[in-house]
Structures are given as structure tokens and as C-alpha cells.
Amino acid sequence: MKSLLFTPLDIGPIRVKNRIVMAPMCQYSAVDGTVQDWHMVHYPARAYGGAGLVILEATAVEARGRISPEDLGIWSDDHIPGLTSLASTISDAGALPGIQLAPAGRKASTSRPFDGFGPLMPDNGGWQVIGPSAVKYAENYPMPRAMSIDDIQEVQEAFILAARRAIAAGFKVIEIHAAHGYLIHSFLSPVSNHREDIYGGDFAGRSRFILEIAREIRSVCGDDAALFVRISADDWMENGWKIEDSVKIAELLKSVPVNMLHVSSGGISPHGKPSQSGRGFQVSLSETIRREAGIPTTAVGLITEAEYAESLLQAGRADLVALGRELLRDPYWPQRAALALNAEAPVPLQYARAWRNT
């Protein structure tokens, strides 16, 4: 049986050489939003390791949208040279370069995990956070300022400018971050969106923000890049966003058209707990959306074994498989996976003599 994990896939205007995606994972290592040496080593290493698509961490479309002061940014033309160099190096290393565009919303202004994590207050290097409504993420987090219509339009314009910069820098996948309790997800979820205007209320109102952004970025991408959206398919809360809502939003995003949904879950509240845990605990969400909405999906969540990743694709539960922490532990996981599946290993020529099937 031919391995699907190592079979190319056409996604809109792009072709990915295999189905392995490096999921966005914050590195908290930028200075004023700019690319540093760490990024220039970290991301290309995963490309040389064999991943078909490498997606940069959540990259802030505006300074107040950073999760931490050390997040990567794309809110200024000054960020383009570093991002261009990084995208080019990833491409030269054999992977498609992708970037995740994000504002953190009410979960912004925090310290780095390795500096203690938790919210930063204005008197300690933090800043005023914003959200759809004045609803805290958690008790120890600051109260977000409810966004005005002008604020909403300002963030949407920031997304458009960021997408243009990303295309100029050479990224081939633009992913909108609409998951994990950050700004766009907080508009979708009734847990955090208590608005009574056109951006709140029922499903249509809460979905308006993401749909307007997706349509604008689709226009920017044109034939130069594929458009992905990462969603939290279930809040895991009784009064939250459900998988049924995700199927509905997937159908709407498909019509934009969005080329791929990257299916995660949770993050809207520390009280949301998944109904299951362990290997592939989110895969059923990807499978449901793919089947019922008819849109390609990327599965993510504790996928660590080559045979399991392959089985997801063979069963039609996803079109791509994203790895997060596993690729932090082992940049060369794709090469080991190829050996396990008797596929041709994606090995640089310089390393070929170390692999038995190259």
C-alpha cells in the first residue's frame, strides 16, 4: 500500500510534497516583532527534517495583538526583510513556508512561559487588551476593553496589510488564527461574545468578523498562496461553541473559498475540558468537519506515531497531519516516519549516506 503521508497534495494554488505539517508553536524569541537567529535555525531545521509545510508561530498583525512582548510581528514593513529571509530559507530547505496571522485579543499581554507566564499589567510592561465584550479570560487576567466598530475595522485593516506583507515576503500558506481563545475565536464563542450589535448575538452575528476577514485575505492571496483557517472546533463547555457550529462555519468558509481548515479545540476558558484525551484526541472533530462540510482538514493533537498518522489519512479522517511538540522533540520525525512506512525518506543529499533507503 502506497503511503499517503508521503504523497504530494494539491491545495488551491500550491502543492505540498507530503502531508506532514509543522504546526504553529510560539517561540517567544522575537525582538520588537522581528526575526532573530533563533528563528533562522529553528524553522529551517524542521524543513530539512522533511516536513512538507512549515507554519510559523502566531505572528501578530498589530502590536497590541501579541501574546507576549517577544512574539513575532507583521504589523510593520520593517518586519518584511527578516520574514523574507526566513521564508526563503525554509523554501530552500525543501518545505513550503506558511505563516499564521493572529491577534491575541483578551489573552494578549502575557509573560513568556519560561518567564513565569501569566498576564502582564501596564505597570509591568503590559498593555490594554481588547475583546468583543468586557469579559475576562480568567479571574487573574485583566478586563478587556469591549471593541467599538472602529476597533473592529482597524483590526480587519491590520489583517489585510499583514497578509500583503506575508505575500511580499514569499509565504505560500496564509493561516488565519481563529482558535484557542484568541481574538477571532472570542468573537465566535458565546462564552466571550456578549455583543448586541451586528458582530454578536446569534451565530450569523458572531461569525461576521471571521468571514469578513477571510474574504479580504482570500483576495490578497489570489493565486500566490493557499488560505488556511485554524479553528477550535469545540469549546468543551456547555454554553460554548460546539462541533455543530464548526460544521456550519466550515461550510461558509468553504464558499470564500478557504482551502483548508486546521482543526484544533478549546482555549476559550480555563474551565473548558476536552471530552476525551490521549492520542489523536481531536481527530474526530477533523473527521466530522471534513465529512459533513466537504472541506479539506488538517488534524492535530498528540499525533506522534508514523503508523497512526498514516491510518488517519487512509481512513479519510484528514488531508494533512500536523505535529507540534513532537517536532520540537525531533526535527527529523518525517525521515523516521518514512522509514517506518517504507516510503522514500525526505533526506537532504548531504545526509543521504546515513539513511538506508536513499
Side-chain angles (χ1 to χ4, degrees):
M1 181 176 63
K2 184 179 180 181
S3 169
L4 286 180
L5 193 62
F6 290 94
T7 298
L9 180 67
D10 292 323
I11 309 168
I14 66 169
R15 169 170 284 194
V16 61
K17 70 178 182 182
N18 60 44
R19 312 296 180 90
I20 301 169
V21 180
M22 180 182 181
M25 290 171 288
C26 291
Q27 297 300 296
Y28 306 105
S29 298
V31 176
D32 295 327
T34 59
V35 169
Q36 302 297 304
D37 288 347
W38 175 263
H39 304 99
M40 294 299 300
V41 173
H42 170 69
Y43 288 107
R46 275 70 194 172
Y48 282 120
L53 170 61
V54 172
I55 306 179
L56 266 57
E57 62 201 79
T59 304
V61 301
E62 53 178 12
R64 69 180 171 185
R66 292 170 295 168
I67 302 168
S68 80
E70 293 81 17
D71 283 17
L72 274 179
I74 193 167
W75 66 81
S76 167
D77 288 351
D78 293 340
H79 296 134
I80 295 176
L83 291 168
T84 300
S85 180
L86 184 52
S88 176
T89 304
I90 291 169
S91 181
D92 289 346
L96 285 177
I99 188 168
Q100 186 183 73
L101 304 182
R106 64 188 190 143
K107 293 176 74 174
S109 188
T110 65
S111 59
R112 300 183 292 183
F114 35 89
D115 288 337
F117 201 59
L120 288 172
M121 300 304 174
D123 59 355
N124 192 31
W127 55 90
Q128 173 67 57
V129 300
I130 58 174
S133 305
V135 179
K136 291 183 179 182
Y137 165 67
E139 277 303 311
N140 64 324
Y141 273 63
M143 182 68 73
R145 177 174 61 78
M147 294 169 66
S148 67
I149 295 296
D150 286 345
D151 290 326
I152 289 172
Q153 292 174 346
E154 186 176 333
V155 171
Q156 290 175 331
E157 181 63 21
F159 260 104
I160 296 167
L161 294 174
R164 289 173 180 166
R165 294 183 184 110
I167 295 297
F171 289 95
K172 297 303 180 182
V173 168
I174 309 297
E175 180 170 279
I176 300 170
H177 197 354
H180 302 159
Y182 297 119
L183 186 62
I184 296 177
H185 181 196
S186 68
F187 269 85
L188 290 170
S189 175
V191 171
S192 46
N193 186 344
H194 297 175
R195 300 177 72 94
E196 298 180 353
D197 63 5
I198 61 172
Y199 290 97
D202 60 9
F203 173 88
R206 289 182 281 110
S207 301
R208 184 183 300 272
F209 188 52
I210 175 60
L211 291 172
E212 289 179 347
I213 290 171
R215 292 182 188 117
E216 291 288 352
I217 295 184
R218 172 74 274 166
S219 178
V220 173
C221 288
D223 294 329
D224 295 314
L227 178 58
F228 287 24
V229 175
R230 191 171 200 185
I231 65 168
S232 280
D234 202 308
D235 284 344
W236 307 120
M237 297 180 70
E238 184 177 351
N239 62 332
W241 182 265
K242 306 290 187 182
I243 180 61
E244 295 80 9
D245 299 310
S246 291
V247 172
K248 289 167 63 178
I249 198 67
E251 292 170 342
L252 294 172
L253 290 169
K254 178 184 176 183
S255 70
V256 168
V258 166
N259 301 111
M260 177 77 63
L261 283 194
H262 190 167
V263 183
S264 188
S265 69
I268 200 65
S269 165
H271 302 297
K273 304 297 180 185
S275 61
Q276 53 187 310
S277 60
R279 184 178 74 171
F281 72 100
Q282 298 173 143
V283 170
S284 63
L285 301 172
S286 164
E287 180 181 19
T288 298
I289 292 170
R290 185 178 188 270
R291 180 183 66 248
E292 297 189 13
I295 189 171
T297 61
T298 299
V300 65
L302 296 181
I303 299 171
T304 61
E305 301 163 355
E307 294 83 358
Y308 179 62
E310 179 69 30
S311 74
L312 302 181
L313 300 174
Q314 294 287 350
R317 305 183 73 186
D319 298 271
L320 296 175
V321 175
L323 284 76
R325 290 173 176 83
E326 188 65 15
L327 279 177
L328 293 184
R329 290 186 285 265
D330 182 5
Y332 299 98
W333 186 92
Q335 297 176 14
R336 303 182 197 285
L339 294 181
L341 298 172
N342 293 313
E344 183 178 354
V347 179
L349 292 176
Q350 295 89 336
Y351 295 167
R353 63 183 181 271
W355 297 85
R356 63 176 171 78
N357 67 338
T358 57

